[in-house]
Amino acid sequence: FDKYVLFALAFVGGCIGSATGGLKVMRFMVLFKMAAQEMRRTLHPHMVISLKIDGVPVDMKIISRVLSYFFLFMATFFVSMLIISLSGVTPMQAMGMAVGCLSSVGSTMDLFGVADVSVLPAWTKLYCSFLMILGRVEIFSFLVVIQTAFGYLRRRW
């Protein structure tokens, strides 16, 4: 049970502004409050509710960005888990490696029995390195860099 709690906490990563990867505590607060708000709205469909954190209303633009980042992060996690599992590790080990690389929490690999990464194929290590960079700079920032690079290359042609 303990290792599953630690696995779930590895998704958090850290606080806003920290150098760790992951979803960050503030985004989780927005997600949980929004889920609670939607449950209340299901019971009372005509109720107008504004999402507040520490008494300050959160703009819908911020909520949509948090949702976009959450779904992009989860899609990256699941695709990465499938790619890493192609290297011959178990699905649980692949999950631990994917969240460990994305959230900069390497100890999640050891939770599920991946103590020695040197036995993995070279392409898996390279992909995990890519995931670590992606998790550290955050997915949106990485996509902006890629879009800028493609725009530059398109202009040069």
Side-chain angles (χ1 to χ4, degrees):
F1 177 73
D2 294 340
K3 69 179 172 180
Y4 298 112
V5 171
L6 291 173
F7 175 74
L9 287 175
F11 278 99
V12 176
C15 296
I16 296 292
S18 72
T20 63
L23 289 171
K24 310 288 190 221
V25 174
M26 187 60 124
R27 290 183 185 134
F28 265 113
M29 287 176 57
V30 170
L31 286 170
F32 286 132
K33 286 192 177 232
M34 194 184 66
Q37 180 182 24
E38 287 302 316
M39 283 189 265
R40 270 185 273 155
R41 194 172 299 165
T42 301
L43 293 173
H44 308 286
H46 300 292
M47 180 188 273
V48 177
I49 306 171
S50 92
L51 185 89
K52 293 182 180 180
I53 294 182
D54 289 335
V56 178
V58 180
D59 190 25
M60 279 305 290
K61 201 186 301 185
I62 293 172
I63 293 171
S64 69
R65 287 179 185 159
V66 167
L67 275 174
S68 299
Y69 186 80
F70 173 73
F71 288 117
L72 192 58
F73 185 89
M74 294 310 288
T76 304
F77 166 70
F78 284 114
V79 168
S80 297
M81 181 191 73
L82 291 174
I83 290 172
I84 291 171
S85 69
L86 293 174
S87 68
V89 297
T90 66
M92 290 302 289
Q93 290 173 332
M95 285 173 60
M97 290 177 69
V99 76
C101 292
L102 278 172
S103 297
S104 303
V105 183
S107 59
T108 57
M109 290 189 250
D110 196 30
L111 283 175
F112 297 106
V114 182
D116 189 17
V117 184
S118 65
V119 298
L120 294 173
W123 67 268
T124 306
K125 292 182 232 176
L126 190 63
Y127 185 74
C128 285
S129 300
F130 167 73
L131 278 182
M132 288 180 207
I133 293 169
L134 186 65
R136 193 55 78 110
V137 298
E138 297 211 349
I139 299 169
F140 282 150
S141 303
F142 181 77
L143 291 175
V144 167
V145 169
I146 294 296
Q147 180 185 12
T148 305
F150 280 132
Y152 176 76
L153 289 174
R154 189 173 48 221
R155 282 191 306 269
R156 300 290 280 168
W157 278 82

